DNA sequence: AAAAAAC
């Protein structure tokens, strides 16, 4: 069996892995590490929760060890980009854990926190910068940081980083990188159009794709409940009565929707927090920390939390809305069943979301089993306590309606029946290389790990107002 | 019609 030492990683990194209790590389790690150590460009595609961060972090540390060079003032040797601040923070914490026995400096660069500390952290030069695009460009414009010495450039969630909303920033950043560099792109999904963009930025890349998207959700019990939009809150209430839900992440399509759901849940006696981009960085970090620590078992999120975020023991992902971008579904449900655990993903599908569901099923190349939900007792004046029937089974005249179900109908969500791939499904090897939370920070902006005292729910000073109901 | 990401 392959071990981390077989992959050519140097001793101090192996020691850190041992200290963290990791034994066996996951397939993406085994596939990527030797190529990255050899200096190749790489496109890495692997299902969620299989240790992609370690797949690039470990060999990057190995690369850094090959040279005695120190970064010049305001320069960095490795640049890692992430689509959200929380993911950037998590990546940096992982790198710090892997670099436990090494003396490399790392720093976080992202918005929503004071810039001064980040500028000071960059001033002497830093080995590894983990950043989101906006603040990075800010620092580059201020000449607080230069990319002239970047030897390794990483795009995590690469397809997200290369889509329309981020493309301009990425182009700007790439234009400031040395031509001669190593580039590593990672994601669980890679739509063909984006893969083409990616290939323009990579030089003769190795492609390591260890699991097709279709098997992404093998250990996740997926189900969909057809539910009129107006009954969704009551349906969620009904779902939460299930006490096998130890920790649930509820996704909504909009920030306003997330706030509404939290309000409803709190009024119904459930403690829940929201996390989305209209919250202050302080409130975002508090909500995530409360969810991670278990002091709050429900987190209601926009797609800010869809990608990469690693929380142990998320038993359920609930899609309050079906995402309109199908790839997003794969990332959302990947927040459960991480690192060999299992989990459930339940999606509420309103009348107007059927086409989104069809898109998702086409992407994952499977039908999502339909279950009947039971409405909770609150705010369902007309249909309280009435099980909601699948309209596909009810509607349509014989011969032309009623799309057949491709898979058997599992029991109620969380009942443990109707599970796919429970036996004989490939499981990641035991002990994938993922560090625990709370790794000590070195040279990181203090504000990122220690929120400012002020606790508003509004963004600070960006001119936007919190969203108001109309 | 959305989310994220700088101030």
């Amino acid at each position: 069996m392959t071990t981390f030492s077989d992959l050519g990683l140097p001793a101090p990194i192996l020691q850190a892995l041992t200290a963290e209790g990791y034994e066996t590389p996951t397939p993406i790690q085994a596939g990527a590490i030797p190529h990255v150590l050899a200096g190749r460009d790489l496109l890495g595609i692997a299902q969620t929760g299989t240790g992609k961060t370690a797949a690039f972090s470990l060999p990057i540390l190995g690369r850094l060890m090959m040279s005695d060079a120190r970064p010049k003032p305001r320069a960095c040797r490795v640049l890692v980009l992430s689509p959200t601040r929380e993911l950037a923070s998590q990546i940096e914490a992982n790198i710090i854990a892997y670099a436990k026995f090494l003396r490399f400096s790392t720093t976080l660069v992202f918005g929503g926190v004071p810039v001064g500390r980040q500028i000071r952290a960059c001033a002497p030069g830093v080995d590894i910068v983990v950043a989101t695009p906006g603040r990075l460009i800010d620092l580059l414009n201020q000449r607080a940081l230069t990319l002239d010495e970047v030897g390794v450039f990483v795009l995590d969630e690469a397809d997200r980083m290369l889509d329309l909303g981020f493309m301009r920033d990425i182009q700007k950043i790439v234009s400031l990188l040395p031509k001669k560099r190593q580039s590593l792109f990672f994601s669980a999904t890679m739509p063909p159009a984006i893969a083409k963009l990616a290939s323009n930025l990579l030089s003769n890349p190795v492609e390591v794709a260890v699991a097709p998207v279709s098997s992404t959700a093998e250990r996740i019990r997926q189900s969909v409940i057809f539910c009129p939009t107006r009954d969704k809150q009551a349906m969620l209430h009904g779902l939460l009565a299930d006490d096998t839900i130890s920790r649930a992440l509820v996704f909504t399509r909009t920030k306003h929707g997330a706030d509404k759901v939290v309000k409803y849940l709190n009024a119904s006696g459930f403690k829940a927090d929201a996390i989305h981009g209209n919250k202050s960085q302080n409130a975002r970090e508090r909500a995530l920390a409360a969810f991670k620590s278990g002091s709050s078992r429900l987190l209601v999120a926009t797609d800010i939390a869809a990608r990469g975020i690693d929380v142990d023991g998320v038993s359920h992902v609930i899609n309050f809305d079906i995402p309109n971008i199908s790839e997003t579904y794969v990332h959302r449900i990947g927040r459960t069943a991480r690192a060999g655990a299992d989990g459930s993903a339940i999606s509420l599908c309103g009348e107007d979301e059927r086409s989104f569901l069809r898109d998702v099923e086409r992407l994952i190349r499977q039908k999502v089993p339909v279950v009947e939900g039971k409405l909770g007792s609150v705010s369902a004046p007309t249909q309280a306590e009435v099980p909601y029937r699948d309209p596909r089974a009810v509607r349509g005249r014989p011969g032309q309606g009623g799309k057949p179900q491709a898979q058997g109908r599992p029991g109620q969500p969380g009942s443990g029946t109707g599970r796919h791939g429970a036996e004989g499904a490939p499981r990641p090897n035991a002990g994938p290389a993922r560090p625990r939370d709370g790794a000590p920070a070195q040279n990181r902006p203090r504000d990122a790990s220690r929120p400012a005292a002020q606790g508003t729910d509004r963004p600070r000073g960006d001119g936007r107002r919190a969203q108001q109901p109309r």
Side-chain angles (χ1 to χ4, degrees):
Chain A
M1 183 186 286
T2 311
T3 65
F4 284 110
S5 99
D6 295 337
L7 300 176
L9 291 168
I13 299 173
L14 298 175
Q15 282 164 21
L17 293 171
T18 305
E20 298 286 318
Y22 308 135
E23 287 160 10
T24 314
T26 64
I28 184 69
Q29 291 160 3
I33 288 172
H35 294 300
V36 178
L37 280 173
R40 292 287 302 271
D41 277 17
L42 186 137
L43 180 61
I45 313 283
Q47 59 190 62
T48 57
T50 58
K52 283 190 286 289
T53 305
F56 63 79
S57 304
L58 299 173
I60 283 174
L61 292 172
R63 296 283 297 168
L64 287 177
M65 288 175 70
M66 291 173 195
S67 144
D68 288 333
R70 306 302 312 157
K72 295 205 182 72
R74 282 171 282 121
C76 68
R77 303 169 70 192
V78 176
L79 174 65
V80 181
L81 290 183
S82 147
T84 65
R85 299 166 187 170
E86 284 74 13
L87 182 54
S89 180
Q90 180 182 296
I91 292 168
E92 197 227 16
N94 286 15
I95 291 174
I96 287 169
Y98 304 142
K100 192 173 175 175
F101 298 114
L102 297 168
R103 298 166 59 98
F104 294 126
S105 55
T106 68
T107 198
L108 274 170
V109 168
F110 60 57
V113 295
V115 76
R117 193 175 302 276
Q118 294 175 4
I119 291 172
R120 286 195 294 278
C122 293
V126 56
D127 291 303
I128 302 170
V129 169
V130 184
T132 52
R135 178 61 67 85
L136 177 69
I137 290 173
D138 184 2
L139 292 198
L140 295 171
N141 287 339
Q142 293 190 43
R143 308 257 186 257
L145 182 67
T146 162
L147 301 181
D148 293 347
E149 289 183 28
V150 170
V152 188
F153 169 57
V154 180
L155 273 192
D156 200 11
E157 306 298 344
D159 58 334
R160 177 75 185 86
M161 300 305 278
L162 295 174
D163 84 12
L164 243 43
F166 275 115
M167 194 47 186
R168 279 174 160 273
D169 284 351
I170 300 305
Q171 276 171 341
K172 159 97 178 163
I173 291 165
V174 167
S175 75
L176 296 171
L177 290 169
K179 289 252 170 354
K180 187 170 162 331
R181 62 169 189 266
Q182 183 178 16
S183 302
L184 311 172
F185 293 1
F186 283 85
S187 184
T189 54
M190 186 58 68
I194 306 276
K196 213 171 163 187
L197 285 176
S199 69
N200 292 335
L201 299 175
L202 294 166
S203 161
N204 185 27
V206 190
E207 282 195 33
V208 179
V210 297
V213 165
S214 57
S215 72
T216 292
E218 224 150 31
R219 286 185 341 275
I220 304 174
R221 293 183 292 267
Q222 295 179 68
S223 56
V224 62
I225 298 171
F226 288 98
C227 173
T229 305
R230 66 170 180 281
D231 289 339
K232 281 189 174 183
Q233 291 188 345
M235 188 63 79
L236 177 62
H237 188 284
L239 287 172
L240 294 177
D242 178 350
D243 54 17
T244 68
I245 298 187
S246 54
R247 197 172 277 182
L249 189 46
V250 179
F251 283 103
T252 61
R253 199 171 50 81
T254 66
K255 293 177 275 204
H256 181 54
D259 285 336
K260 271 201 319 200
V261 168
V262 164
K263 238 178 174 172
Y264 169 81
L265 289 175
N266 288 339
S268 309
F270 294 100
K271 178 169 158 39
D273 292 311
I275 184 167
H276 60 63
N278 274 3
K279 295 265 187 189
S280 68
Q281 192 56 30
N282 185 352
R284 283 163 59 160
E285 282 167 15
R286 258 187 296 129
L288 191 56
F291 188 58
K292 284 189 173 183
S293 75
S295 79
S296 180
R297 78 186 240 278
L298 296 174
L299 182 64
V300 183
T302 57
D303 286 325
I304 195 173
R307 286 174 179 259
I309 295 303
D310 194 17
V311 179
D312 282 344
V314 174
S315 63
H316 290 70
V317 166
I318 299 174
N319 289 314
F320 192 82
D321 303 305
I322 309 278
N324 50 350
I325 309 289
S326 347
E327 280 79 13
T328 300
Y329 177 86
V330 175
H331 291 278
R332 283 183 179 183
I333 70 172
R335 295 318 97 211
T336 185
R338 293 179 75 75
D342 58 25
S344 299
I346 305 169
S347 302
L348 304 185
C349 181
E351 312 84 351
D352 51 348
E353 296 176 303
R354 302 296 177 78
S355 63
F356 297 154
L357 179 61
R358 272 197 299 276
D359 292 344
V360 166
E361 291 177 328
R362 198 176 310 134
L363 176 71
I364 65 177
R365 292 191 224 138
Q366 64 186 71
K367 289 282 179 192
V368 180
V370 177
V371 299
E372 287 182 13
K374 194 166 151 58
L375 296 178
S377 54
V378 181
S379 106
T382 55
Q383 303 195 36
E385 300 298 335
V386 179
Y388 191 78
R389 281 202 213 100
D390 174 8
R392 297 197 293 207
V394 180
R395 274 194 209 146
R397 282 155 289 176
Q400 69 168 52
K403 196 197 284 182
Q405 282 172 221
Q407 294 184 359
R409 172 175 295 228
Q412 290 295 70
S415 68
T417 59
R419 179 169 167 198
H420 304 288
E423 301 273 330
R427 291 171 66 94
N429 302 310
R434 302 157 62 250
R436 288 183 290 275
D437 295 325
Q442 323 164 341
N443 192 17
R444 68 190 299 192
R446 213 242 254 111
D447 312 275
S449 56
R450 202 166 308 169
Q454 175 186 4
T456 169
D457 274 358
R458 298 237 171 71
R460 290 190 297 260
D462 67 354
R464 280 179 304 171
R465 293 182 347 171
Q467 205 165 345
Q468 300 290 338
R470 277 185 239 187

